[in-house]
Amino acid sequence: MIKFISYDGKWPALCMGTLTVEKDGKQYSMKYILVSGGSCGFNNDYSESYVNEGEWSVDKDALPEELKKDVEELTYLVNMNIPYGCCGGCL
């Protein structure tokens, strides 16, 4: 079982934080492993921007080897503890 400890990402770069979790008494701090399911962009005539929030996914390739098999549990924990996002910082 994995325990969510913290996440420090903030607007305008919500996806660029450090996720800290604990498994079997060992803490893991991982930077930049979240991928937003949201989107941002402009309407057809570029007169207005939009930001849509969406569920997070976890970049499995960026995980420590000990956590790769736990990507589904990590994704669940992330989505239960971190507000959905698409920061719109790319606009």
Side-chain angles (χ1 to χ4, degrees), residues 24-65:
D24 298 330
K26 182 177 178 183
Q27 280 197 1
Y28 298 86
S29 291
M30 303 158 285
K31 290 185 174 193
Y32 317 132
I33 66 161
L34 298 187
V35 179
S36 173
S39 62
C40 59
F42 294 92
N43 64 0
N44 289 340
D45 66 0
Y46 295 94
S47 63
E48 293 182 29
S49 62
Y50 64 86
V51 175
N52 296 316
E53 297 174 349
E55 290 186 10
W56 296 104
S57 59
V58 174
D59 180 359
K60 183 177 179 180
D61 294 331
L63 292 174
E65 200 60 41

Side-chain angles (χ1 to χ4, degrees), residues 1-4 22-23 58 67 69-80:
M1 187 168 134
I2 299 174
K3 179 181 177 184
F4 177 88
E22 183 178 301
K23 180 182 179 185
V58 174
L67 297 178
K69 65 180 168 66
D70 301 307
V71 69
E72 288 182 27
E73 183 178 357
L74 279 169
T75 301
Y76 174 79
L77 285 173
V78 162
N79 281 297
M80 293 302 295

